[in-house]
Amino acid sequence: GEFEEVDFDFAASVVNETWGLFEQEARTSQDFKVKLGEFFFAALAKTQPDIQKVMKASNAQSTLSSNFMDKMTAMVHATKNTSTLPGKVKEFNTWLGSHNVDASEKFPIFAEVLLFTLEEFFQEGEFTPQIEGAWISVIGVIDQLILDPNGDFFFDPESETR
């Protein structure tokens, strides 16, 4: 689709706002977090059955879903304070590594599935091009940090491309 390119700070606030809706929901119902995570992993299994198999072998699905959501939440919150973001991305990396998944190779697939998941969980028409653009911009920075943990990707729009 046509998404809008946006400034990182603005993108971070939009991403936190949209993710906040999920968090709110998750607080009211503990199984929502698992449900969102499970939807993500079901979608992942469709596109990448091998990743799903590898990850499932090392953990129960609900634990996996819950952990994934926690790691995502930590990264999303860290976008508001970018000095903490590389550390959170590293934790995500390590977590994926502990499930025998190479983040640097597989993160773009995760990102794609995450966008699909967000779109599915929003009501029709709520996942606007601006919201999508914000997520794509934030995911781009996370992706860059996975590939180069010491890089500075927050201020150079040229570094958005992989």
Side-chain angles (χ1 to χ4, degrees), residues 61-154:
Q61 182 67 57
S62 60
T63 312
L64 204 55
S65 302
S66 190
N67 288 349
F68 171 73
M69 294 299 290
D70 291 342
K71 298 280 178 264
M72 272 308 304
T73 301
M75 288 196 294
V76 166
H77 288 179
T79 59
K80 286 189 293 199
N81 174 6
T82 51
S83 64
T84 62
L85 187 57
K88 295 300 174 195
V89 170
K90 202 184 216 124
E91 283 170 28
F92 181 69
N93 254 348
T94 307
W95 177 72
L96 281 179
S98 73
H99 292 288
N100 309 310
V101 174
D102 177 3
S104 60
E105 193 186 306
K106 302 296 189 192
F107 186 72
I109 297 154
F110 271 72
E112 215 171 294
V113 174
L114 181 64
L115 284 170
F116 171 72
T117 302
L118 291 167
E119 221 166 318
E120 289 299 302
F121 269 77
F122 274 91
Q123 300 307 311
E124 193 62 51
E126 272 185 4
F127 197 62
T128 63
Q130 194 179 35
I131 292 176
E132 186 179 4
W135 274 95
I136 288 170
S137 150
V138 165
I139 284 169
V141 169
I142 291 173
D143 187 33
Q144 294 289 346
L145 283 168
I146 285 173
L147 297 173
D148 177 6
N150 305 314
D152 183 357
F153 305 102
F154 300 109

Side-chain angles (χ1 to χ4, degrees), residues 22-43:
F22 293 137
E23 285 183 276
Q24 223 171 336
E25 193 91 29
R27 274 195 291 274
T28 8
S29 114
Q30 197 37 52
D31 62 297
F32 177 80
K33 186 161 90 165
V34 172
K35 219 184 289 167
L36 187 63
E38 282 179 347
F39 182 90
F40 172 87
F41 282 107

